[in-house]
Amino acid sequence: MTKSAAANIRPIHEHGANVLYQHGTLAQLVPGLLEGTTTIGELLEHGDTGIGTGEGLDGELIILDGVAYKIGQSGLAEVLPDDFTVPFASVHHAAFQYQCERADIGLEDLNRKIVEANGRANTFFAVIVHGTFSFIKTRAVIKQQAPYPTLEEVADQQAMFLGHDVKGTMLGYFSPLMFNGAAVAGFHEHFLADDRSIGGHVLDAVLERGDILSQVFDTLVQHLPVDNPEYRSHDFSNDPIAEAIAKAE
Amino acid sequence: MTKSAAANIRPIHEHGANVLYQHGTLAQLVPGLLEGTTTIGELLEHGDTGIGTGEGLDGELIILDGVAYKIGQSGLAEVLPDDFTVPFASVHHAAFQYQCERADIGLEDLNRKIVEANGRANTFFAVIVHGTFSFIKTRAVIKQQAPYPTLEEVADQQAMFLGHDVKGTMLGYFSPLMFNGAAVAGFHEHFLADDRSIGGHVLDAVLERGDILSQVFDTLVQHLPVDNPEYRSHDFSNDPIAEAIAKAE
């Protein structure tokens, strides 16, 4: 490749607004491959915005404006250090486009309208909803210790949080159907209150009024923990991956 | 990100030996989304080695040492121009490592031993087998015209080629199970004879004697044709993707 061609390509794939970076896969969580194989510091090199989980399903992570937060079993958000380790996360460089304002709408309708507005269910995209939620229901899985249980086994070991009239940010990623397993097909959304009083993996919500912004990616950079012995040697062929995603996410 | 960090990361993701670049997905071929959405010229910017198919399933492509060849219904290989369009291809920058020599081995055993030698079935990797094949059976799909048929409908419209005592190169990509649909889980191998007299999608082979080389990737750069209207609007939810891959590949 010529030098000028290389210069042309680099921004598109590594630093562009059209790239979603994912470390690990959702499928790894199903049999309990929960060792942290990247760090917040490394993730922040690939984006200033994102979601994920910590080693051993240690909390629900949300990265906004280059700051990584964890919502653990207290429901309160704490800022994470760069060396916090992570088995699975999605991040990107924020360059959202304003889509519209919406009011008095439940999560399911909201998500359907976001997909319609994008006119595409076969691309990866990110969505930010910032506003006042008249109701929000989130969860945080409780940190597990090695040897790790399966995702199904930890399903009942999670803290649930309810909020009313909460100002905050919901950040979600939409993944196309054909990437179910690698990612969560459809939406995967985390929340953080402006005052950090509540957050986590979004189970349900009613938006009182908020701004919707979205960012479409044409490229997924999928990084795999190829040097992790448990990952490398695991036989995924009998794991109920689609079922576990449908149940847990 | 600091400048030094950026300089550090760029080669890893765009130019590194650890990156597999894929344009389009196998899933698109199943319902017949066969429009060419990238070009050989663009693909060569992402690698000097690869496999794919042309618009309308126009032949089986193999890229070796920066030269792209098409094996069409004649069975003979022809060099492709940069503007030849492609709906689905995988390419990478060759940096293969010598694995071993093998003799008198069938395709299935050979592939099993290659996976074992890599010690990992959960990573993307490329494999080159160069040597003399006492037997090789390949196919090339016959080019279709729009409106395109489904992959299943073209299954019986393919040319089959048999070769004996052929010197050549088999290039394959191995994809982890959780990426079936996006890619072909397991091996997907194309062949080119040294004298270009036979090639195509490998259906069966017996290696008389050959050198095995492999290259493991930790990153898949998956590029999607997000501006293609047919791709964007297609509903994949009822396509028999796993079944079609199992049958066609």
Side-chain angles (χ1 to χ4, degrees):
Chain A
M1 184 185 313
T2 61
K3 273 205 168 169
S4 64
N8 209 10
I9 289 164
R10 281 170 179 168
I12 297 177
H13 282 134
E14 185 50 31
H15 302 288
N18 54 345
V19 175
L20 171 63
Y21 177 90
Q22 184 169 285
H23 173 83
T25 60
L26 195 286
Q28 286 164 230
L29 308 186
V30 176
L33 299 170
L34 303 179
E35 203 176 321
T37 42
T38 189
T39 63
I40 290 295
E42 285 172 352
L43 288 169
L44 289 173
E45 291 179 356
H46 298 279
D48 53 18
T49 303
I51 63 176
T53 187
E55 176 166 281
L57 299 177
D58 184 11
E60 309 286 339
L61 312 188
I62 183 166
I63 301 173
L64 295 173
D65 295 325
V67 181
Y69 304 87
K70 178 184 95 172
I71 295 93
Q73 57 188 108
S74 72
L76 298 172
E78 56 177 297
V79 174
L80 292 175
D82 276 2
D83 62 356
F84 184 85
T85 65
V86 171
F88 179 53
S90 303
V91 300
H92 78 284
H93 293 286
F96 287 93
Q97 301 213 310
Y98 183 77
Q99 201 178 84
C100 64
E101 183 180 310
R102 297 229 179 256
D104 299 320
I105 185 166
L107 184 65
E108 202 173 315
D109 279 353
L110 179 62
N111 283 345
R112 193 174 41 76
K113 283 179 190 286
I114 289 167
V115 174
E116 283 172 12
N118 269 306
R120 47 185 94 180
N122 298 320
T123 70
F124 291 91
F125 63 86
V127 60
I128 283 266
V129 181
H130 186 255
T132 301
F133 293 78
S134 50
F135 171 69
I136 186 126
K137 180 179 174 186
T138 62
R139 71 116 201 270
V141 177
I142 294 171
K143 188 183 177 182
Q144 307 296 311
Q145 302 298 332
Y148 296 118
T150 67
L151 196 61
E152 197 179 354
E153 287 164 352
V154 297
D156 53 356
Q157 297 183 49
Q158 52 185 32
M160 209 97 80
F161 313 107
L162 299 179
H164 294 275
D165 301 315
V166 182
K167 270 198 175 171
T169 301
M170 184 167 76
L171 167 64
Y173 289 99
F174 181 93
S175 301
L177 190 62
M178 67 194 77
F179 290 89
N180 201 39
V184 179
F187 283 101
H188 182 187
E189 291 160 316
H190 286 192
F191 182 77
L192 182 67
D194 286 355
D195 64 4
R196 305 188 193 173
S197 63
I198 180 173
H201 180 102
V202 178
L203 295 175
D204 201 3
V206 177
L207 179 67
E208 190 182 305
R209 197 216 65 76
D211 293 316
I212 320 294
L213 298 93
S214 70
Q215 184 174 350
V216 176
F217 309 110
D218 67 9
T219 300
L220 170 73
V221 172
Q222 170 68 62
H223 183 251
L224 296 174
V226 298
D227 295 322
N228 181 262
E230 286 76 27
Y231 174 70
R232 222 162 58 196
S233 62
H234 184 75
D235 177 3
F236 285 91
S237 59
N238 294 314
D239 292 325
I241 292 168
E243 298 82 336
I245 293 174
K247 204 181 282 183
E249 304 298 322
Chain B
M1 184 187 309
T2 62
K3 272 205 170 172
S4 63
N8 210 11
I9 290 164
R10 281 172 181 167
I12 297 177
H13 281 134
E14 185 50 31
H15 303 288
N18 54 346
V19 174
L20 171 63
Y21 176 90
Q22 182 169 285
H23 173 83
T25 60
L26 196 284
Q28 285 164 232
L29 308 186
V30 175
L33 299 169
L34 303 179
E35 204 176 321
T37 43
T38 190
T39 63
I40 290 293
E42 284 171 353
L43 288 170
L44 289 174
E45 292 178 357
H46 298 280
D48 53 18
T49 303
I51 63 176
T53 187
E55 176 165 281
L57 300 177
D58 184 10
E60 309 286 338
L61 313 188
I62 184 166
I63 302 174
L64 295 172
D65 295 324
V67 181
Y69 304 87
K70 180 184 96 172
I71 295 92
Q73 59 188 106
S74 71
L76 298 172
E78 57 178 297
V79 174
L80 292 173
D82 275 2
D83 62 355
F84 184 86
T85 66
V86 171
F88 178 53
S90 303
V91 300
H92 78 285
H93 293 286
F96 287 92
Q97 302 212 310
Y98 184 77
Q99 201 177 83
C100 63
E101 183 180 310
R102 296 229 179 258
D104 299 319
I105 187 166
L107 184 64
E108 203 172 315
D109 279 353
L110 179 63
N111 283 345
R112 192 173 43 74
K113 282 178 190 286
I114 290 167
V115 173
E116 282 171 13
N118 269 307
R120 45 186 94 179
N122 298 321
T123 70
F124 291 91
F125 64 86
V127 61
I128 284 267
V129 180
H130 186 257
T132 300
F133 293 78
S134 50
F135 171 69
I136 187 126
K137 181 180 173 185
T138 63
R139 71 116 201 270
V141 177
I142 294 171
K143 189 184 178 184
Q144 306 296 311
Q145 302 297 333
Y148 296 118
T150 66
L151 197 61
E152 197 180 352
E153 287 163 352
V154 297
D156 53 356
Q157 297 183 49
Q158 53 186 31
M160 210 97 81
F161 312 108
L162 299 179
H164 295 275
D165 300 315
V166 181
K167 269 197 177 172
T169 301
M170 184 167 77
L171 167 64
Y173 289 99
F174 182 93
S175 301
L177 191 61
M178 66 194 77
F179 290 89
N180 201 37
V184 179
F187 283 100
H188 183 188
E189 292 159 317
H190 285 194
F191 182 78
L192 182 67
D194 287 355
D195 64 4
R196 305 189 193 173
S197 63
I198 179 171
H201 180 103
V202 178
L203 296 175
D204 200 3
V206 176
L207 179 65
E208 190 182 305
R209 198 216 65 77
D211 293 317
I212 319 294
L213 298 95
S214 71
Q215 185 175 350
V216 176
F217 310 110
D218 68 8
T219 300
L220 170 73
V221 171
Q222 170 68 63
H223 183 251
L224 295 174
V226 298
D227 295 321
N228 180 263
E230 286 76 27
Y231 174 70
R232 222 162 59 198
S233 63
H234 184 77
D235 178 3
F236 284 92
S237 59
N238 294 313
D239 291 325
I241 292 169
E243 297 84 337
I245 292 174
K247 203 181 283 182
E249 304 298 323

